[in-house]
Amino acid sequence: MEPFNLKSQQWYVEDTALALIAREVGTPCYIYSKSALEQRWQSFQQAFKNHPYQINYAVKANSNLAVLNVLAKLGSGFDIVSGGELHRVLKAGGDPKKIIFSGVGKSAQELSDALKVGIGCINIESEMELSRLNEIAIALGQKAKIAFRINPNVDSKSHPYISTGLEENKFGIRMEDALLLYQQATELAGIEIEGLAYHIGSQITSLSPFIEALQKILPLVQSLKQLGIPLKHLDIGGGLGVCYQSETPPSPEEYIATLLAELGPLPLAIHIEPGRAIAAPAGVLLTRVEYIKKQGTQNKYFAIVDAAMNDLLRPALYNAWQEIIPIQPTVAPTGSSALYDIVGPVCETSDFLGKDRLLSIKAGDVLMIRNAGAYGFSMSSNYNSRPRVAEVMVEGKTFQIIRERETVEDLFRTEYLFTATK
Ligand SMILES: *Cc1c(COP(=O)(O)O)cnc(C)c1O
């Protein structure tokens, strides 16, 4: 049986497949449902109906080759932010013509690599980047396809660390400077203008910031047309949120339908860059309770688990809340539920996965952390010299390791003792 309930978009608890994976692969491990990834991607696709579109999955949300390959097979494009991500997408079978390159700090090497593989579009974020790309393209005898990333100065109302569309952020080009830069670009031999892009932030749970941004951008699109600079596509970025706790984000259908209505009859292909909304619900992190301890007279316990902030950084970084539940509910020795802080072994007080959770658990239980498919493994590190965890993909009854758990040797494979003599 598929351990992901496609109707409720939740992983089943009391699912024997998850317990089996925890036993055979060990914990901690990330598990992704292939069907869930496909379903999430297709819900965006179906929402476009007959409107021309390109879905560029934001690779940084979850960049495992198997995940990218599932989406590439559906015909997905990809939004990348580094040369490393470019090579991941190519390795996973992605079509270079459907890759767009975002980011404020692309190196000359990254730009040149992107042009050499025939990338679909490079989203330019500054005047200096435009002239660097122009020179590289000319040297390669190419015309680089570009969009400018415009900063629409809109408050996405998400956490400040994941808001990108305000003037005070480092991202994009100011609205006021856009027309001049587009005009400059038309005169560059190595540049071909394709579109306009913006991206206002992540985990956005209401439609209004998306509508506001589009309303601010559309007059700019019209002005460009009047200047004789027609665009082929409008890239509205990613950022659609998911329900971690009690948020009520719009569905992909609602989100796309609203923005298409706002766009009106403009014959512009719409590019979108969802990351979280595709990958988050499709994944869970399994972790085992190592110890339970009580500190002082507080009416609360610590459940010390084998996963930590280096494996799942979101709680420590943004105080993010993710549901944590035992995969095989048991009766705790205390006989009833108690309050727990779920913490890892890392030597930081910020090393928690959840706080004040009412749970009935005991040492040895396996816990599931939900909505961990995005910004989970991809943000993980080796902090405290902890090998990064295994990743598994499931489809129906079958499961397969798609990334081996790192070994202790992996941790220092690229390090050397200092042996040079004076
Ligand atoms: C991170 C990012 C995305 C994806 O954001 P989600 O919230 O995961 O949908 C899309 N576009 C750009 C430019 C990004 O930096």
Side-chain angles (χ1 to χ4, degrees), residues 58 60-61 79 81 102 149 199 201-203 237-240 273-276 375:
K60 71 176 187 287
D79 169 41
V81 293
S102 304
R149 173 162 172 189
H199 168 73
S202 197
Q203 184 56 10
L240 184 64
E273 304 166 349
R276 187 189 309 275
Y375 305 105

mmCIF file of all heavy atoms in Angstrom, residues 58 60-61 79 81 102 149 199 201-203 237-240 273-276 375, ligand 1:
data_model
loop_
_atom_site.group_PDB
_atom_site.id
_atom_site.type_symbol
_atom_site.label_atom_id
_atom_site.label_comp_id
_atom_site.label_asym_id
_atom_site.label_seq_id
_atom_site.Cartn_x
_atom_site.Cartn_y
_atom_site.Cartn_z
ATOM 1 N N ALA A 58 11.996 24.401 -8.061
ATOM 2 C CA ALA A 58 13.147 25.031 -7.406
ATOM 3 C C ALA A 58 14.009 23.950 -6.745
ATOM 4 O O ALA A 58 13.660 23.395 -5.701
ATOM 5 C CB ALA A 58 12.685 26.046 -6.367
ATOM 6 N N LYS A 60 16.653 23.835 -5.016
ATOM 7 C CA LYS A 60 17.227 23.918 -3.673
ATOM 8 C C LYS A 60 16.313 23.335 -2.599
ATOM 9 O O LYS A 60 16.766 22.997 -1.522
ATOM 10 C CB LYS A 60 17.601 25.366 -3.330
ATOM 11 C CG LYS A 60 16.441 26.308 -3.086
ATOM 12 C CD LYS A 60 17.000 27.684 -2.671
ATOM 13 C CE LYS A 60 15.963 28.669 -2.234
ATOM 14 N NZ LYS A 60 15.142 29.205 -3.320
ATOM 15 N N ALA A 61 15.020 23.181 -2.897
ATOM 16 C CA ALA A 61 14.104 22.619 -1.899
ATOM 17 C C ALA A 61 14.451 21.159 -1.593
ATOM 18 O O ALA A 61 14.378 20.726 -0.437
ATOM 19 C CB ALA A 61 12.658 22.729 -2.376
ATOM 20 N N ASP A 79 14.499 25.398 -11.660
ATOM 21 C CA ASP A 79 15.054 26.677 -11.244
ATOM 22 C C ASP A 79 16.287 26.366 -10.401
ATOM 23 O O ASP A 79 16.178 25.721 -9.359
ATOM 24 C CB ASP A 79 14.005 27.427 -10.412
ATOM 25 C CG ASP A 79 14.578 28.649 -9.706
ATOM 26 O OD1 ASP A 79 15.378 29.361 -10.321
ATOM 27 O OD2 ASP A 79 14.215 28.886 -8.538
ATOM 28 N N VAL A 81 20.148 27.614 -8.561
ATOM 29 C CA VAL A 81 20.809 28.773 -7.955
ATOM 30 C C VAL A 81 22.324 28.591 -7.846
ATOM 31 O O VAL A 81 22.989 29.377 -7.183
ATOM 32 C CB VAL A 81 20.220 29.105 -6.561
ATOM 33 C CG1 VAL A 81 18.783 29.589 -6.675
ATOM 34 C CG2 VAL A 81 20.287 27.905 -5.629
ATOM 35 N N SER A 102 18.724 31.344 -11.307
ATOM 36 C CA SER A 102 18.463 32.473 -10.415
ATOM 37 C C SER A 102 19.652 32.671 -9.483
ATOM 38 O O SER A 102 20.499 31.788 -9.349
ATOM 39 C CB SER A 102 17.238 32.197 -9.534
ATOM 40 O OG SER A 102 16.107 31.902 -10.296
ATOM 41 N N ARG A 149 15.471 39.908 -13.069
ATOM 42 C CA ARG A 149 14.678 39.670 -11.858
ATOM 43 C C ARG A 149 14.403 41.006 -11.200
ATOM 44 O O ARG A 149 15.326 41.705 -10.774
ATOM 45 C CB ARG A 149 15.417 38.766 -10.877
ATOM 46 C CG ARG A 149 14.670 38.659 -9.548
ATOM 47 C CD ARG A 149 15.122 37.494 -8.752
ATOM 48 N NE ARG A 149 14.546 37.503 -7.416
ATOM 49 C CZ ARG A 149 14.933 36.666 -6.461
ATOM 50 N NH1 ARG A 149 15.877 35.783 -6.706
ATOM 51 N NH2 ARG A 149 14.373 36.717 -5.283
ATOM 52 N N HIS A 199 10.389 37.026 -7.585
ATOM 53 C CA HIS A 199 10.148 35.971 -6.585
ATOM 54 C C HIS A 199 10.152 36.679 -5.247
ATOM 55 O O HIS A 199 11.148 37.283 -4.876
ATOM 56 C CB HIS A 199 11.261 34.916 -6.651
ATOM 57 C CG HIS A 199 11.264 33.965 -5.496
ATOM 58 N ND1 HIS A 199 10.321 32.963 -5.354
ATOM 59 C CD2 HIS A 199 12.074 33.870 -4.411
ATOM 60 C CE1 HIS A 199 10.559 32.302 -4.227
ATOM 61 N NE2 HIS A 199 11.617 32.830 -3.639
ATOM 62 N N GLY A 201 9.354 35.551 -2.032
ATOM 63 C CA GLY A 201 9.611 34.911 -0.745
ATOM 64 C C GLY A 201 9.096 33.492 -0.722
ATOM 65 O O GLY A 201 8.698 32.956 -1.752
ATOM 66 N N SER A 202 9.121 32.910 0.463
ATOM 67 C CA SER A 202 8.785 31.498 0.586
ATOM 68 C C SER A 202 7.770 31.293 1.708
ATOM 69 O O SER A 202 7.626 32.142 2.583
ATOM 70 C CB SER A 202 10.071 30.724 0.891
ATOM 71 O OG SER A 202 9.915 29.358 0.649
ATOM 72 N N GLN A 203 7.084 30.152 1.665
ATOM 73 C CA GLN A 203 6.056 29.825 2.669
ATOM 74 C C GLN A 203 5.048 30.981 2.797
ATOM 75 O O GLN A 203 4.729 31.453 3.882
ATOM 76 C CB GLN A 203 6.706 29.453 4.024
ATOM 77 C CG GLN A 203 5.757 29.010 5.136
ATOM 78 C CD GLN A 203 4.848 27.830 4.767
ATOM 79 O OE1 GLN A 203 5.001 27.189 3.752
ATOM 80 N NE2 GLN A 203 3.840 27.574 5.587
ATOM 81 N N GLY A 237 7.951 33.347 -10.107
ATOM 82 C CA GLY A 237 8.666 32.834 -8.948
ATOM 83 C C GLY A 237 7.954 31.677 -8.272
ATOM 84 O O GLY A 237 7.006 31.097 -8.808
ATOM 85 N N GLY A 238 8.445 31.362 -7.080
ATOM 86 C CA GLY A 238 7.835 30.279 -6.294
ATOM 87 C C GLY A 238 7.236 30.871 -5.040
ATOM 88 O O GLY A 238 6.760 32.005 -5.050
ATOM 89 N N GLY A 239 7.287 30.120 -3.968
ATOM 90 C CA GLY A 239 6.900 30.688 -2.684
ATOM 91 C C GLY A 239 5.579 30.230 -2.118
ATOM 92 O O GLY A 239 5.247 30.573 -0.981
ATOM 93 N N LEU A 240 4.803 29.474 -2.901
ATOM 94 C CA LEU A 240 3.518 29.027 -2.356
ATOM 95 C C LEU A 240 3.769 28.154 -1.122
ATOM 96 O O LEU A 240 4.576 27.229 -1.157
ATOM 97 C CB LEU A 240 2.733 28.245 -3.416
ATOM 98 C CG LEU A 240 1.339 27.801 -2.985
ATOM 99 C CD1 LEU A 240 0.425 28.992 -2.706
ATOM 100 C CD2 LEU A 240 0.701 26.901 -4.055
ATOM 101 N N GLU A 273 8.056 28.780 -10.208
ATOM 102 C CA GLU A 273 9.216 28.122 -9.595
ATOM 103 C C GLU A 273 8.875 27.537 -8.231
ATOM 104 O O GLU A 273 9.490 27.886 -7.222
ATOM 105 C CB GLU A 273 10.345 29.143 -9.410
ATOM 106 C CG GLU A 273 10.762 29.863 -10.674
ATOM 107 C CD GLU A 273 11.641 31.088 -10.420
ATOM 108 O OE1 GLU A 273 11.768 31.515 -9.261
ATOM 109 O OE2 GLU A 273 12.197 31.613 -11.393
ATOM 110 N N PRO A 274 7.887 26.664 -8.144
ATOM 111 C CA PRO A 274 7.554 26.117 -6.836
ATOM 112 C C PRO A 274 8.612 25.107 -6.377
ATOM 113 O O PRO A 274 9.108 24.315 -7.174
ATOM 114 C CB PRO A 274 6.213 25.411 -7.068
ATOM 115 C CG PRO A 274 6.221 25.053 -8.519
ATOM 116 C CD PRO A 274 7.085 26.078 -9.226
ATOM 117 N N GLY A 275 8.988 25.182 -5.122
ATOM 118 C CA GLY A 275 9.893 24.196 -4.545
ATOM 119 C C GLY A 275 9.177 23.503 -3.398
ATOM 120 O O GLY A 275 8.752 22.354 -3.485
ATOM 121 N N ARG A 276 8.976 24.287 -2.337
ATOM 122 C CA ARG A 276 8.345 23.757 -1.127
ATOM 123 C C ARG A 276 6.988 23.092 -1.400
ATOM 124 O O ARG A 276 6.704 22.008 -0.880
ATOM 125 C CB ARG A 276 8.136 24.903 -0.130
ATOM 126 C CG ARG A 276 7.647 24.470 1.238
ATOM 127 C CD ARG A 276 7.255 25.688 2.075
ATOM 128 N NE ARG A 276 8.284 26.703 2.113
ATOM 129 C CZ ARG A 276 9.313 26.721 2.966
ATOM 130 N NH1 ARG A 276 9.411 25.787 3.873
ATOM 131 N NH2 ARG A 276 10.205 27.693 2.916
ATOM 132 N N TYR A 375 13.569 21.599 1.980
ATOM 133 C CA TYR A 375 14.466 22.304 2.906
ATOM 134 C C TYR A 375 14.769 21.441 4.132
ATOM 135 O O TYR A 375 14.904 21.942 5.243
ATOM 136 C CB TYR A 375 13.876 23.682 3.282
ATOM 137 C CG TYR A 375 13.575 24.510 2.053
ATOM 138 C CD1 TYR A 375 12.269 24.694 1.604
ATOM 139 C CD2 TYR A 375 14.610 25.061 1.305
ATOM 140 C CE1 TYR A 375 12.000 25.414 0.449
ATOM 141 C CE2 TYR A 375 14.349 25.780 0.152
ATOM 142 C CZ TYR A 375 13.048 25.963 -0.263
ATOM 143 O OH TYR A 375 12.797 26.675 -1.418
HETATM 144 C C1 LIG B 1 13.892 29.490 -3.227
HETATM 145 C C2 LIG B 1 13.377 30.006 -4.513
HETATM 146 C C3 LIG B 1 12.218 29.464 -5.081
HETATM 147 C C4 LIG B 1 11.393 28.398 -4.407
HETATM 148 O O1 LIG B 1 10.712 28.853 -3.306
HETATM 149 P P1 LIG B 1 9.636 27.899 -2.601
HETATM 150 O O2 LIG B 1 9.174 28.664 -1.454
HETATM 151 O O3 LIG B 1 10.338 26.648 -2.229
HETATM 152 O O4 LIG B 1 8.563 27.646 -3.617
HETATM 153 C C5 LIG B 1 11.817 29.937 -6.311
HETATM 154 N N1 LIG B 1 12.507 30.907 -6.959
HETATM 155 C C6 LIG B 1 13.621 31.448 -6.447
HETATM 156 C C7 LIG B 1 14.332 32.507 -7.210
HETATM 157 C C8 LIG B 1 14.093 31.023 -5.213
HETATM 158 O O5 LIG B 1 15.198 31.583 -4.697
#
